[in-house]
Amino acid sequence: MTTASVSPRPGADERLARLIRIPTVSAELEERGLAPFDELVDLLPELYPLVHEHLDRERITELGLLYRWRGRSDEAPLVLMAHYDVVPVDESDAWTYPPFEGRVAGGWVHGRGALDDKGPLVVVLEAVENLLAAGFTPARDVYLSFGGNEESHGAAAAAIATTLRDRGVIPWLVLDEGGAVTDSPLPLVPGSAAMIGVGEKGVLTLRLTTRGEGGHSSAPPTTTAVRRVARAVERLGPRTFPARTPVAISRMLRLFSDRATGPARTALRALAAAPPVSAQTFAAMGGEAAAIVRTTVAPTMLSGGTAANVLPSQASATVNLRIALGETVAGTVERVRRRVDDPQVQIEVVEGSEPSPESPVDDERFAVLAACVGVSHPDALPAPYITMQATDARHFHRFSPAVYRFAPLAMSAELRATIHGVDERVEVAELERGERFHRALLERLP
């Protein structure tokens, strides 16, 4: 049955707003309990009745939801992912509208989770609901994998991935959050681009701990515990790890060079053809550009001491690293150990996950995603890139050959800064475009 004449039902903005009003803050699970998460799960059948009438749904752990939409064949399925938990809000921050009010105003839906990741979850469900209303059946099975603790290590998504793998389900394509439609993706590159993550950096959290002489601060030794751990952190500067350009980034530069003109086109083509040069260029730019080409090191927590005039006998630092593609957790820990170069500083792995391989960009799966971008955001150039943040998709890349990270919503640099920040919001028109993308993807499954 053709669905070309089907129009999205109105009200996606209010449905998203209702989900935002439920404070599913996974980092506050101990304080809030499971009640907000159960409330959201119980609300979904009211918002999406056809999804819950026609799809099989099961709970995987207390916070994982797995839906199965049976298709016309037993070919490898499509897995669409999202998460319904959000990060905490600093009550001292000045939001235009309260973060859990779910205000719809001026063509925008405001509130925590609008972009990360309840908005992307809604556009998936909107597309499925609309296609079900049209009597559509997908060409192959479609799974919807929704986790409720992505912001606190993603155990629900890990359990869902393990469940599917143990059942022998190897997805044809997995799509999760990650990239978005951005304006001016690189200096000298005009227009907008749909940044489709084809790989994801690994995550490593280390705790550096040392001991020293305690006592009164009036007579400190030459090297205190605090000074020793501070010295270790200082040795882990931006140049701790070498810069290397992933294959996806070279391909991205070639695509962007076709859009650029004059000297910019020449420069981009030269960078695409010389990965060592592009690696050093991106590293010199710092910030997000540098993070694309090297493992990053970010000290995030320091502790030690009980009083202003007492030397602590122990001090520690927590360091978060995002591991570049092609490197490993073990190799990263060893390089940190060599850089710190102090046997009195103990290095403990708090958590670690390997970076992903690069998913293909030259087969029909990436081509289908690019074609769907043409439906939802026709002016955006589909381009591969590397996702620097951790996503739930990392639990699938260990056994699925094609894992991509892309939310089909336009996000300017200013909007991206509201993710985990203040005044997070999504444009209502983008919810419509995101639904259009997913509807096209479901219709175009081979």
Side-chain angles (χ1 to χ4, degrees):
M1 177 179 179
T2 180
T3 62
S5 61
V6 176
S7 298
R9 61 192 181 127
D13 53 350
E14 182 55 34
R15 285 186 284 276
L16 173 57
R18 292 183 68 183
L19 296 181
I20 288 173
R21 290 169 195 147
I22 303 174
T24 48
V25 183
S26 53
E28 298 173 356
L29 185 60
E30 288 190 9
E31 303 97 288
R32 296 178 183 267
L34 286 169
F37 300 87
D38 291 338
E39 181 184 353
L40 185 144
V41 171
D42 292 342
L43 177 61
L44 291 177
E46 176 187 336
L47 301 184
Y48 299 100
L50 295 180
V51 169
H52 291 81
E53 177 184 346
H54 294 280
L55 274 62
D56 304 322
R57 187 181 88 170
E58 59 182 310
R59 299 289 290 266
I60 308 291
T61 74
E62 291 180 315
L63 295 173
L65 288 174
L66 180 62
Y67 296 80
R68 182 184 182 184
W69 190 5
R70 297 179 185 271
R72 299 192 301 271
S73 77
D74 58 0
E75 297 291 328
L78 168 70
V79 176
L80 299 176
M81 302 183 68
H83 65 88
Y84 59 91
D85 64 317
V86 298
V87 296
V89 171
D90 186 335
E91 298 297 336
S92 67
D93 289 335
W95 286 62
T96 302
Y97 302 105
F100 293 111
E101 182 182 291
R103 177 77 68 91
V104 181
W108 295 78
V109 183
H110 299 258
R112 175 62 82 223
L115 292 173
D116 184 21
D117 190 41
K118 291 179 179 178
L121 181 147
V122 159
V123 297
V124 170
L125 287 171
E126 292 288 322
V128 176
E129 187 81 6
N130 290 331
L131 286 171
L132 286 168
F136 176 81
T137 301
R140 58 181 75 212
D141 280 5
V142 175
Y143 286 92
L144 311 181
S145 171
F146 300 151
N149 51 13
E150 190 273 348
E151 301 291 2
S152 52
H153 310 306
I160 291 172
T162 299
T163 297
L164 291 179
R165 183 192 62 194
D166 291 347
R167 293 174 182 173
V169 177
I170 308 299
W172 178 72
L173 185 154
V174 176
L175 183 64
D176 195 9
E177 63 170 339
V181 177
T182 65
D183 51 353
S184 302
L186 282 177
L188 308 179
V189 177
S192 62
M195 308 301 290
I196 301 174
V198 299
E200 178 175 323
K201 297 180 78 172
V203 180
L204 176 63
T205 300
L206 300 176
R207 184 179 293 115
L208 280 54
T209 306
T210 190
R211 301 193 68 85
E213 296 180 33
H216 201 282
S217 62
S218 61
T222 303
T223 304
T224 64
V226 169
R227 182 168 291 171
R228 186 179 293 278
V229 82
R231 184 177 65 189
V233 169
E234 180 62 24
R235 288 173 177 173
L236 300 175
R239 297 180 180 274
T240 298
F241 292 88
R244 300 188 184 93
T245 299
V247 173
I249 300 305
S250 293
R251 187 181 292 263
M252 177 192 77
L253 291 169
R254 286 195 294 273
L255 287 170
F256 287 161
S257 71
D258 293 338
R259 175 179 283 187
T261 59
R265 171 177 288 189
T266 302
L268 290 169
R269 285 181 175 173
L271 290 173
V277 176
S278 62
Q280 295 306 315
T281 301
F282 276 62
M285 293 169 66
E288 190 170 324
I292 290 174
V293 296
R294 65 160 37 125
T295 295
T296 56
V297 186
T300 54
M301 294 189 290
L302 297 170
S303 67
T306 58
N309 61 347
V310 177
L311 294 173
S313 59
Q314 179 174 294
S316 69
T318 299
V319 181
N320 186 257
L321 301 95
R322 301 302 167 113
I323 306 173
L325 274 65
E327 298 181 10
T328 65
V329 168
T332 301
V333 173
E334 182 56 32
R335 180 176 282 269
V336 167
R337 199 181 305 280
R338 291 199 306 268
R339 278 300 183 103
V340 169
D341 191 26
D342 188 339
Q344 294 190 53
V345 175
Q346 288 73 51
I347 299 174
E348 172 194 358
V349 176
V350 178
E351 65 158 334
S353 63
E354 305 288 352
S356 77
E358 292 189 43
S359 295
V361 297
D362 53 2
D363 70 0
E364 64 177 338
R365 289 167 291 197
F366 190 89
V368 166
L369 295 177
C372 295
V373 169
V375 173
S376 63
H377 297 82
D379 296 330
L381 174 68
Y385 96 119
I386 302 301
T387 303
M388 288 167 283
Q389 302 84 2
T391 73
D392 276 343
R394 71 187 187 278
H395 303 297
F396 279 85
H397 73 66
R398 297 178 178 87
F399 67 97
S400 180
V403 180
Y404 301 93
R405 300 148 185 91
F406 174 67
L409 304 172
M411 301 184 199
S412 64
E414 186 269 334
L415 269 184
R416 294 196 301 275
T418 70
I419 296 175
H420 292 204
V422 176
D423 278 348
E424 184 177 353
R425 63 196 183 276
V426 65
E427 193 173 8
V428 174
E430 284 305 308
L431 296 177
E432 297 168 359
R433 295 186 184 99
E435 185 276 342
R436 202 176 303 148
F437 171 92
H438 282 293
R439 185 149 44 103
L441 175 58
L442 292 163
E443 290 176 326
R444 294 170 186 236
L445 286 177

